[in-house]
Amino acid sequence: MLFDTHAHLDDQAFDVDRETLLTQLPIEGVGLVMNPGCSRASSLAAIDLAKKYDYIYAAVGSHPDAADEVNEEVLQQYHALCLENPKVKAIGEIGLDYHYEDIPRDIQKKAFRAQMALAQELGLPVIVHEREAHEDGMKIVEEFPGVSGVFHCYSGSLEMAKWLIARGWYIGFGGVLTFKNARKALEVAESIPIERIVLETDCPYMAPEPFRGRRNDPGKLYRVAEKLAELRGLTVAEIQAITTENGKTLYRM
Ligand code: NI
């Protein structure tokens, strides 16, 4: 059984066939899925999916791309949604993205800190999206020693991964591991303790080879498990069992 620890099944890319796909996934061996929110609207959609499908869980949060929506009212709503819905297992996805910078850095940092504080208050893990913002990301992580979770679609160095793991964090890997130019991610996936690795699709994005460029979905996660098995010298069954267990520990399920 595979655990897709980061999938956006509420994305409009799935509007055409969501029900068929979501009915099929458990039959294809995907036994658990975490669907994080990217905004207030998608957090609500994630909860709706979690209510409808046993194997889907939800997280609530505003992605750095939606950092400008984070205010007292939104934070209070996230707080209430976590308390009302037992299938909300994390705050996310939250973080920093300095690649496009559509949202100014100060606003991103403010939203990230506010949602880290919410996770601290609720005692929940967080799902962090951090792209080209390693220094500020680590600084904010350090400000909240009581909060940990997962750095998803990991793009940092081996040194930073070790630093995070020492603070109780997990490292998420997806389709990038199967790409030809993935040298840095492969080095991290090869070297860090296997107990801290979780698998994810980040679908509909980041489809693994040989599906690269197409719509991704949790049914393609087996390709990432195969690649990690090859890297670590373990069987695919062992990788599935270990990473599923890791995901359950991460999200306290
Ligand atoms: Ni995501």
Side-chain angles (χ1 to χ4, degrees):
M1 176 184 109
L2 281 164
F3 186 171
D4 187 345
T5 61
H6 194 114
H8 299 287
L9 298 170
D10 59 295
D11 192 280
Q12 60 179 14
F14 298 109
D15 285 355
V16 282
D17 59 353
R18 184 174 293 105
E19 191 149 351
T20 315
L21 177 76
L22 298 191
T23 308
Q24 193 61 28
L25 286 178
I27 302 164
E28 290 175 9
V30 179
L32 289 166
V33 172
M34 164 56 73
N35 195 123
C38 295
S39 61
R40 163 145 66 172
S42 90
S43 297
L44 292 170
I47 292 172
D48 283 345
L49 286 175
K51 283 181 175 163
K52 195 165 173 198
Y53 297 92
D54 282 353
Y55 69 95
I56 299 179
Y57 288 78
V60 297
S62 300
H63 186 280
D65 290 350
D68 56 345
E69 74 170 3
V70 176
N71 58 28
E72 221 20 73
E73 189 207 333
V74 171
L75 293 166
Q76 275 175 21
Q77 188 177 10
Y78 288 160
H79 187 280
L81 289 169
C82 290
L83 297 182
E84 285 161 14
N85 297 281
K87 290 187 82 182
V88 174
K89 295 294 188 191
I91 300 295
E93 59 182 289
I94 60 176
L96 302 172
D97 193 323
Y98 293 172
H99 184 71
Y100 294 113
E101 287 197 68
D102 293 335
I103 308 281
R105 292 183 181 192
D106 279 351
I107 294 177
Q108 292 192 34
K109 285 192 267 191
K110 196 173 167 218
F112 186 22
R113 285 193 171 102
Q115 294 178 98
M116 287 288 281
L118 177 63
Q120 181 165 273
E121 189 188 341
L122 290 164
L124 287 174
V126 293
I127 300 167
V128 172
H129 170 106
E130 183 272 298
R131 188 176 183 198
E132 294 175 25
H134 303 322
E135 202 177 309
D136 283 349
M138 286 161 83
K139 193 168 159 246
I140 292 174
V141 162
E142 219 167 13
E143 289 170 15
F144 295 89
V147 179
S148 64
V150 58
F151 262 56
H152 106 90
C153 197
Y154 188 73
S155 63
S157 64
L158 175 57
E159 190 192 1
M160 178 176 150
K162 287 180 176 165
W163 184 90
L164 286 167
I165 287 166
R167 282 161 182 76
W169 289 75
Y170 287 77
I171 306 293
F173 292 107
V176 170
L177 279 193
T178 69
F179 296 173
K180 279 207 172 68
N181 55 357
R183 199 182 50 81
K184 202 167 127 192
L186 289 177
E187 187 201 0
V188 180
E190 231 168 17
S191 317
I192 62 174
I194 192 88
E195 305 76 45
R196 293 308 182 89
I197 296 179
V198 292
L199 303 185
E200 61 170 66
T201 54
D202 201 18
C203 65
Y205 315 105
M206 296 293 190
E209 294 290 2
F211 310 107
R212 192 172 181 180
R214 287 160 58 183
R215 186 186 79 172
N216 196 7
D217 75 78
K220 297 179 174 65
L221 187 60
Y222 72 94
R223 291 287 303 127
V224 181
E226 286 173 355
K227 183 67 196 188
L228 188 61
E230 182 192 316
L231 273 179
R232 302 294 300 229
L234 293 167
T235 66
V236 176
E238 284 168 332
I239 288 294
Q240 288 197 22
I242 294 167
T243 56
T244 295
E245 211 43 50
N246 296 347
K248 287 188 192 170
T249 311
L250 157 64
Y251 294 129
R252 301 170 197 161
M253 289 159 56

